[in-house]
């Protein structure tokens, strides 16, 4: 970690990357495995890694997702090659003896629902953001979104578990001709400070 990435890499990850509403192409299962294998290295609290990802790819899985989608997200999600359900496991702490073996981190969470919920949600959200950057690094375009019924997704994909959906990410190859003009971002002085 001794040198900054070149500008073209920073452009691909941040400056030129866009949220796409029209995604096509194909994504192999091997690419999805590569995507996860990059994502898993992002840091989380006590290496808890609470995110769980469902890569909704088959026509049957897309139909299972369909009833949960809002009207504004339906067509683009059904057309995307893959939709990722970014979720978090509220029993993530059961894996801490393996993931964080140098301390009894499981005891920090067992029986403490408030700590479980906030830690799983926060770190699962981080892992979803890592997945977006990992996808961009592999040459994929993304379209992250809310706009769905979490309870319906949880019932369809996670019934009988302690896994809860957070947000969705459509993956594919974007149609750059169908992008909206780039929206502005806040300048440093409106969003940050140095103290």
């Amino acid at each position: 970690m001794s040198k900054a990435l070149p500008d073209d890499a920073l452009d691909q990850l941040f400056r030129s990357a866009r949220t796409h509403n029209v995604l096509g192409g194909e994504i192999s299962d091997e690419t999805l495995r590569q995507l996860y294998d990059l994502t898993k290295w992002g840091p989380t609290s006590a290496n808890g890694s609470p995110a769980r990802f469902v890569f909704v790819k088959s026509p049957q899985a897309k139909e299972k997702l369909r009833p949960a989608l809002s009207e504004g997200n339906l067509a683009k999600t059904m057309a995307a090659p893959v939709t990722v359900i970014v979720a978090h496991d509220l029993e993530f702490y059961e894996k801490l003896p393996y993931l964080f073996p140098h301390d009894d981190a499981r005891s920090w969470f067992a029986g403490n629902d408030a700590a479980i919920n906030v830690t799983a949600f926060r770190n699962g959200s981080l892992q979803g953001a890592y997945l977006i950057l990992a996808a961009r690094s592999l040459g994929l375009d993304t379209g992250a979104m809310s706009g769905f019924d979490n309870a319906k997704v949880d019932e369809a994909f996670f019934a009988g578990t302690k896994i809860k959906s957070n947000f969705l990410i459509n993956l594919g190859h974007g149609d750059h001709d169908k992008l909206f003009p780039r929206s502005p971002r806040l300048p440093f002085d409106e969003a940050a400070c140095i103290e």
Side-chain angles (χ1 to χ4, degrees), residues 113-177:
D113 287 346
I116 290 167
N117 288 324
V118 73
T119 302
F121 181 75
R122 177 184 299 127
N123 288 278
S125 297
L126 276 174
Q127 289 182 275
Y130 301 147
L131 187 136
I132 291 170
L133 292 176
R136 290 173 174 179
S137 75
L138 293 175
L140 297 172
D141 293 306
T142 65
M145 62 189 150
S146 302
F148 67 97
D149 186 319
N150 291 81
K152 286 182 180 178
V153 168
D154 294 349
E155 179 61 30
F157 290 90
F158 307 120
T161 74
K162 295 290 243 170
I163 298 172
K164 301 294 179 190
S165 59
N166 184 349
F167 63 101
L168 305 177
I169 305 170
N170 286 334
L171 298 175
H173 300 284
D175 184 340
H176 293 270
D177 292 333

Side-chain angles (χ1 to χ4, degrees), residues 185-194:
R185 301 297 194 269
L186 294 175
F188 183 95
D189 291 339
E190 289 185 35
C193 65
I194 300 170

Side-chain angles (χ1 to χ4, degrees), residues 14-33:
F14 297 102
R15 295 186 289 239
S16 298
R18 299 291 306 278
T19 296
H20 284 263
N21 287 307
V22 179
L23 292 155
E26 293 185 17
I27 302 174
S28 70
D29 291 356
E30 179 57 32
T31 298
L32 296 177
R33 290 180 179 280

